Amino acid sequence: MFGKKITPTAPPGRTKGQVPQQQMGTEDVYQKVQKISQEVENASRWVDPLQKEIAKVIIGQEHLIRSLIIGLLTGGHILLEGLPGLAKTLAVKTLAKAIQVDFRRIQFTPDMLPADIIGTEIYNPQQTSFETKQGPIFSSLILTDEINRAPAKVQSALLEAMEEGQVTIGDTTFPLPELFLVLATQNPVDQEGTYPLPEAQIDRFMLKIVVDYPSFEEELQLINSLEDTPTPLIPIITSDDIFSARRVLGQIYMDEKIKRYIVSLVYATREPRNFGLDLHNYIEIGASPRATINLATVAKALAFLGHRGYVTPDDVKEAAMDVMRHRLRISYEAEAEGISSEDIIRKILDTIPVP
């Protein structure tokens, strides 16, 4: 569909064939990775129990559950897209019950106002002054359900909160909880009564997860589960466990070659010709630098979930689709030829050599 595969040229700032210099010797790197791997092993003991606890309610959807845990580990906001009835809302609510944090659910509707989310100032006639009433955004875990059913000005009310962890009401800025995570669900944009998210907002979501139908066996298991007595969920972790895991996550080792691989994947969406890719007619806007940061962070989270203290190229490749699919704006020519952002990302992954 895109033509033959061409060996890509070197990314900017590096001469083709140049070997990146290592800052540490092989023995030093090995000892460092060994130490980090042990810390990861200790800090990730809650991961498997949490997945099993969520699996009591959510049948299948392993990728969805794994992605929600990545959001907890990284503090990155997640957008879940799928048709109604695929357990998107239930998965988030189940996650909230399995951890000991504040949780609020916001149902987005076409008649919603920004004040319904962040709060507003209310006049107090007795005090002859205005008082601030904080909205539901002031919680640790926020489920914004059907986010694309509200107008753009309401969706944009989340911008400051998602990026800076604060909200401005009137002339006063209020900090949000230290543990703050937005998990949004949306129906496909071709559904009736939906609005596309503004580019500035959608770029603030670390991951966009496309939720698909369960398999035949999973759906059969879903029917059988109706005959069982519901098992109450037990909180597995606290916010302190999450913060401890995040500190270890930041120490996970990433080799210089993998860093260059990450930058090459993102940069290829902006300047595909530099990598021998004939995609410039299909891409209107490439991925932002936020994609580079998120790709490196999610790759470390996948290493953490794998109980490893180092990132592998497979971690990067696994993270690439969910990190970049919503950050590419394809051209009209791509739409006319039936080429999606996912097709473009697959071509980039297939072309750029893996370190």
Side-chain angles (χ1 to χ4, degrees):
M1 176 169 56
F2 294 106
K4 65 180 182 179
K5 179 177 179 179
I6 304 175
T7 303
T9 59
R14 176 179 171 186
T15 304
K16 186 175 180 181
Q18 177 182 351
V19 179
Q21 296 181 353
Q22 298 294 335
Q23 296 179 351
M24 297 184 294
T26 304
E27 187 65 27
D28 293 334
V29 171
Y30 177 78
Q31 293 178 357
K32 178 181 179 180
V33 170
Q34 286 290 98
K35 180 181 178 181
I36 297 174
S37 295
Q38 185 59 51
E39 294 179 2
V40 169
E41 185 68 30
N42 295 332
S44 62
R45 296 185 186 278
W46 54 266
V47 172
D48 293 337
L50 179 61
Q51 290 177 322
K52 292 179 180 178
E53 196 67 21
I54 297 176
K56 291 180 180 179
V57 178
I58 305 298
I59 296 174
Q61 302 291 8
E62 288 86 0
H63 181 62
L64 170 58
I65 296 173
R66 188 176 174 88
S67 300
L68 293 177
I69 295 177
I70 289 175
L72 283 179
L73 284 172
T74 61
H77 311 297
I78 298 178
L79 179 63
L80 308 177
E81 179 179 283
L83 294 170
L86 296 181
K88 302 184 298 296
T89 302
L90 180 61
V92 177
K93 293 172 67 176
T94 303
L95 174 69
K97 292 179 181 178
I99 57 179
Q100 298 178 21
V101 295
D102 296 332
F103 169 71
R104 296 293 295 272
R105 178 179 182 270
I106 307 174
Q107 179 66 51
F108 277 49
T109 57
D111 61 346
M112 206 170 191
L113 297 174
D116 297 328
I117 300 173
I118 65 174
T120 187
E121 291 183 323
I122 300 177
Y123 182 71
N124 186 335
Q126 296 178 346
Q127 301 292 332
T128 64
S129 61
F130 285 91
E131 296 179 352
T132 300
K133 180 181 179 182
Q134 296 181 346
I137 197 71
F138 289 89
S139 296
S140 294
L141 188 60
I142 305 295
L143 166 59
T144 58
D145 210 6
E146 296 187 298
I147 188 173
N148 62 334
R149 291 201 179 277
K153 65 179 181 179
V154 176
Q155 297 167 1
S156 298
L158 291 171
L159 290 179
E160 183 183 12
M162 293 175 65
E163 181 64 19
E164 302 178 28
Q166 64 183 28
V167 168
T168 301
I169 304 175
D171 297 331
T172 308
T173 299
F174 300 90
L176 293 170
E178 184 178 1
L179 177 60
F180 176 72
L181 184 63
V182 174
L183 303 174
T185 71
Q186 74 170 12
N187 295 314
V189 294
D190 57 348
Q191 295 288 298
E192 184 178 356
T194 60
Y195 302 83
L197 298 181
E199 288 82 359
Q201 182 182 0
I202 199 169
D203 191 46
R204 281 167 168 77
F205 284 102
M206 172 176 280
L207 302 174
K208 179 183 177 182
I209 309 300
V210 177
V211 185
D212 203 352
Y213 289 110
S215 66
F216 184 92
E217 293 300 326
E218 290 171 347
E219 203 149 353
L220 183 62
Q221 187 180 351
L222 179 62
I223 296 177
N224 294 332
S225 67
L226 299 176
E227 304 172 0
D228 300 331
T229 302
T231 304
L233 292 179
I234 302 173
I236 299 297
I237 57 173
T238 65
S239 57
D240 291 338
D241 297 320
I242 297 173
F243 291 136
S244 297
R246 288 181 180 180
R247 286 191 290 270
V248 175
L249 182 72
Q251 302 175 21
I252 290 179
Y253 177 73
M254 181 179 292
D255 188 79
E256 183 69 20
K257 293 180 181 179
I258 293 182
K259 293 177 183 178
R260 289 183 172 273
Y261 180 53
I262 290 173
V263 175
S264 296
L265 292 176
V266 177
Y267 203 89
T269 67
R270 305 175 206 153
E271 299 291 343
R273 288 174 172 172
N274 290 359
F275 297 84
L277 287 161
D278 188 19
L279 299 175
H280 58 280
N281 290 332
Y282 300 130
I283 303 174
E284 185 174 335
I285 298 178
S288 69
R290 194 179 279 119
T292 306
I293 298 171
N294 289 169
L295 189 51
T297 303
V298 175
K300 286 188 175 184
L302 289 171
F304 184 94
L305 294 181
H307 308 288
R308 286 180 279 105
Y310 58 93
V311 175
T312 67
D314 286 339
D315 294 327
V316 178
K317 295 183 72 174
E318 182 179 348
M321 186 65 71
D322 292 338
V323 169
M324 293 200 295
R325 60 157 50 101
H326 55 299
R327 292 186 160 96
L328 296 186
R329 182 193 290 178
I330 61 175
S331 65
Y332 290 115
E333 183 175 346
E335 293 182 2
E337 297 185 22
I339 297 173
S340 66
S341 62
E342 296 179 350
D343 295 327
I344 293 173
I345 294 170
R346 291 190 190 98
K347 182 61 178 178
I348 292 173
L349 289 172
D350 291 341
T351 303
I352 293 184
V354 179

